[in-house]
Amino acid sequence: MQRTYFLFVGALALHFIATSSVSIIVANNQNNTVDLNALLAFKAAIFDPQRTIQTNWSTSTSVCNWIGITCNARHHRVAAIDLSYMGIAGTIPPQLGNLSFLVRLNVMNNGFHGHLPAELSRLRRLKYINLEGNNFEGELPSWLGALTALRYLSFRDNGFSGSLSGRLSNFTKLETIRLGFNFFTGNLSEEFSALPKLTVLEIQSNQLAGPLPWALFNLSSLQIFAFANNSLSGYLPAHICNYLPQLKGLYLSWNYFEGEIPSGIGECSGLQVLSLSYNIFRGYIPREIWNLTTLTGLYLGDNDLTGEIPKKAFDNLYNLEILAMESANVTARCIRSVFT
Ligand SMILES: *[C@@H]1O[C@H](CO)[C@@H](O)[C@H](O)[C@H]1NC(C)=O
Ligand SMILES: *[C@@H]1O[C@H](CO)[C@@H](O)[C@H](O)[C@H]1NC(C)=O
Ligand SMILES: *[C@@H]1O[C@H](CO)[C@@H](O)[C@H](O)[C@H]1NC(C)=O
Ligand SMILES: *[C@@H]1O[C@H](CO)[C@@H](O)[C@H](O)[C@H]1NC(C)=O
Ligand SMILES: *[C@@H]1O[C@H](CO)[C@@H](O)[C@H](O)[C@H]1NC(C)=O
Ligand SMILES: *[C@@H]1O[C@H](CO)[C@@H](O)[C@H](O)[C@H]1NC(C)=O
Ligand SMILES: *[C@@H]1O[C@H](CO)[C@@H](O)[C@H](O)[C@H]1NC(C)=O
Ligand SMILES: *[C@@H]1O[C@H](CO)[C@@H](O)[C@H](O)[C@H]1NC(C)=O
């Protein structure tokens, strides 16, 4: 009798432990139902030839254990999705906009396609979005301006199109904008004047036209300024680095920029890459260039430039790895001045 009673108490205790842990799991699950449903919708929209997602994203375990998913410690809600380089394809379903704790979304280098659903505008905590190297299409969504936490945006190397004119004006907190290798058109009017945090602005290999707004040369945090391979025109400001003190890379090759290379380029004291080839610059290569000791790459070829490389140039430019001047006039002079 005594022994039976003891066993009964033991069973009761076990029962209590079991139910309380079940109730914790239920609470977690309730919190996570929205996230679970959103990720199940995502799973259903993913084409996954290696079946990694199909087998790993199993409802027998918490979404927090799923491959590519990170939950925040406090609420056990989905905080990050990283499915980069997974060899998967598919679309982004509107349910992803329900992941209200999402901070990072990275699907870089896969085969995703289609338009981005406007429901993503509800991701108010989203700081980082990287869609680079997929086949997404459509215009740069205007609702991106509603993502007030956003700091990093890369839509590089997709099939986005449409005019960029007026589309970037609300990105006031962005630090990185990468839109290169798409089909964006239009000019950039004056919209960049209020992007005080911007360090990387990369819109290479698109179809932008017209002159760059001079306000662009006033973005004092800018380090990478990359517009190579568009149809941009106009002149460079005389004191290009006065208001770009942090500039490390100026990529403007393969456009229609004209006029002289301003001698003020010598004020760009941290410049590492100066890429101005394949434009219609003319005149003398400013001597100040040869004092930019931080330069690692200098591309001036295929313009209408003349000039000499001073004897001391390569003593000064001890970091220089690439010097590209593929233009008969300049090359001849260069060779002469280097070897005499
Ligand atoms: C569920 O969510 C609420 C509010 O977001 C939070 O206070 C609570 O700690 C969460 N519970 C669990 C078990 O994660
Ligand atoms: C899913 O992948 C994660 C990370 O690789 C792993 O920890 C987990 O055990 C996997 N789950 C299943 C059900 O395969
Ligand atoms: C999630 O998103 C879908 C589509 O945007 C919506 O229909 C649904 O009501 C949302 N809410 C929950 C709790 O899943
Ligand atoms: C920018 O924000 C304003 C005010 O919130 C809004 O009216 C406008 O439509 C936004 N523009 C874009 C391009 O998102
Ligand atoms: C820029 O494009 C807009 C819209 O297409 C146009 O109205 C404006 O005149 C253009 N500005 C310049 C400087 O080309
Ligand atoms: C310039 O961009 C076009 C597409 O807009 C691309 O086909 C071409 O290869 C690019 N050229 C260079 C030199 O990057
Ligand atoms: C650039 O900034 C300087 C100093 O703040 C200011 O005087 C100038 O008007 C600005 N130029 C443009 C085009 O915004
Ligand atoms: C380059 O730097 C040297 C040494 O600092 C200086 O004497 C010279 O005037 C400079 N040349 C130019 C063109 O700025």
Side-chain angles (χ1 to χ4, degrees), residues 300-306 324-334:
L300 298 176
D302 280 271
N303 283 289
D304 194 8
L305 292 166
T306 57
M325 298 225 179
E326 58 278 33
S327 160
N329 247 346
V330 178
T331 308
R333 282 170 183 262
C334 290

Side-chain angles (χ1 to χ4, degrees), residues 165 187 210-211:
S165 225
N187 60 53

Side-chain angles (χ1 to χ4, degrees), residues 214-215 218 243:
W214 281 34
N218 257 15
Y243 303 107

Side-chain angles (χ1 to χ4, degrees), residues 165-183:
S165 225
R167 292 261 160 182
L168 301 167
S169 47
N170 283 358
F171 290 176
T172 52
K173 289 183 177 155
L174 276 179
E175 291 160 11
T176 300
I177 299 176
R178 294 185 190 276
L179 300 175
F181 302 92
N182 283 286
F183 304 96

Side-chain angles (χ1 to χ4, degrees), residues 90-243:
T91 56
I92 303 283
Q95 286 89 343
L96 229 56
N98 290 349
L99 294 173
S100 48
F101 283 76
L102 196 67
V103 176
R104 290 174 68 88
L105 174 60
N106 184 359
V107 298
M108 179 176 179
N109 277 51
N110 286 293
F112 284 99
H113 66 276
H115 292 247
L116 297 178
E119 284 79 0
L120 296 186
S121 66
R122 291 156 55 195
L123 299 174
R124 296 306 165 94
R125 289 183 172 87
L126 198 65
K127 284 188 179 160
Y128 175 101
I129 182 166
N130 188 345
L131 309 180
E132 189 168 330
N134 284 283
N135 304 311
F136 289 109
E137 57 186 324
E139 300 205 330
L140 190 72
S142 57
W143 49 256
L144 280 168
L147 299 177
T148 51
L150 204 60
R151 298 291 182 273
Y152 181 103
L153 180 151
S154 178
F155 284 8
R156 203 170 190 268
D157 195 6
N158 275 281
F160 288 104
S161 58
S163 175
L164 272 190
S165 225
R167 292 261 160 182
L168 301 167
S169 47
N170 283 358
F171 290 176
T172 52
K173 289 183 177 155
L174 276 179
E175 291 160 11
T176 300
I177 299 176
R178 294 185 190 276
L179 300 175
F181 302 92
N182 283 286
F183 304 96
F184 289 119
T185 54
N187 60 53
L188 296 171
S189 44
E190 291 298 312
E191 59 201 294
F192 287 104
S193 50
L195 301 176
K197 303 267 174 61
L198 203 61
T199 60
V200 176
L201 179 59
E202 190 267 294
I203 319 187
Q204 304 203 41
S205 289
N206 279 281
Q207 292 151 23
L208 303 177
L212 289 175
W214 281 34
L216 202 58
F217 297 95
N218 257 15
L219 300 179
S220 57
S221 303
L222 211 56
Q223 295 178 10
I224 303 296
F225 188 117
F227 284 93
N229 198 21
N230 281 281
S231 297
L232 297 164
S233 56
Y235 300 83
L236 297 183
H239 294 284
I240 183 166
C241 278
N242 263 10
Y243 303 107

